[in-house]
Amino acid sequence: SNNVASNGGGASYVNCRRCRFLDNVAPRYAGAVRYGSLYNCYFAGNRGDRVTECLYDCVNCTYGDNEKLDGSASVIFENMGDCATLANVVVCGKVRTGASAADQSALNAKALYNCIFPKEMRVKNPPEDAVGLDMTHTLEELRAQFVDGYPASKDSVAVDAGFALAEAGDADVLGAARVQNAALDVGAFEYSWL
């Protein structure tokens, strides 16, 4: 948290599990992570043209509010690897909404499973065989379902909606058991049924 770098403000060339990237800054490229694989990670308050860039895998991650240095929304994903997997990811924060290519999140990913993105988010190059991409909720509706990235209730669209992948591991970003009810939750946080 609170790192500043020319690119990859939070980290570069990493394999991260159960990490929180908060309030990092990079004037160029990715405010949070540039190059790497991310599992059960949470992103909020990062500032840069993009939040994450050049990822190999992004599994069970949650993206809250992140922005460019001028306060406008960052591109969430950029330059995903053509062999990358994007699975069980939820975006419940600011998104770029323009129609130009610069306003879109590029998903050149090999595989896309059970992700929840706001309908305002512009996505270019999604895989043709994307499974379970939910873009039916507005950003306002998604914001109401999460508190700092955590599902606000058992009725959240993320609860029990995940695709079982070994890469998700057995614990969420906070260390809670990965499956608390019927199935894996989408995003970095597993809803606690206790």
Side-chain angles (χ1 to χ4, degrees):
S1 294
N2 295 310
N3 296 303
V4 177
S6 64
N7 59 66
S12 290
Y13 296 95
V14 294
N15 181 349
C16 295
R17 294 185 183 278
R18 298 181 48 220
C19 295
R20 287 178 275 186
F21 292 89
L22 307 171
D23 305 315
N24 299 293
V25 177
R28 296 180 8 181
Y29 307 115
V33 175
R34 186 165 193 234
Y35 293 102
S37 293
L38 307 168
Y39 308 94
N40 296 305
C41 296
Y42 175 58
F43 303 90
N46 299 292
R47 298 177 69 206
D49 283 346
R50 305 155 185 93
V51 181
T52 52
E53 179 179 24
C54 303
L55 299 181
Y56 308 116
D57 289 314
C58 185
V59 177
N60 279 93
C61 293
T62 298
Y63 288 80
D65 280 331
N66 298 279
E67 58 189 33
K68 293 177 68 170
L69 296 177
D70 67 7
S72 64
S74 294
V75 169
I76 306 295
F77 312 102
E78 185 65 62
N79 300 326
M80 293 287 290
D82 60 5
C83 61
T85 296
L86 195 67
N88 300 331
V89 173
V90 64
V91 174
C92 57
K94 278 184 173 180
V95 294
R96 300 284 295 270
T97 58
S100 73
D103 292 326
Q104 300 175 18
S105 287
L107 298 179
N108 298 321
K110 168 191 75 173
L112 180 64
Y113 302 110
N114 285 53
C115 294
I116 302 168
F117 301 154
K119 67 169 62 173
E120 297 93 341
M121 186 170 159
R122 301 293 180 245
V123 178
K124 63 182 174 184
N125 305 326
E128 290 182 18
D129 59 348
V131 176
L133 176 58
D134 181 349
M135 294 184 74
T136 61
H137 307 279
T138 66
L139 179 55
E140 185 177 331
E141 290 167 344
L142 287 176
R143 282 184 188 279
Q145 293 195 34
F146 296 89
V147 176
D148 294 330
Y150 189 85
S153 78
K154 63 181 175 55
D155 298 320
S156 167
V157 295
V159 174
D160 293 341
F163 186 80
L165 292 172
E167 292 91 339
D170 58 1
D172 74 358
V173 69
L174 299 176
R178 203 24 150 152
V179 176
Q180 294 274 329
N181 194 37
L184 188 76
D185 291 354
V186 173
F189 301 91
E190 191 75 16
Y191 181 77
S192 176
W193 289 81
L194 302 177

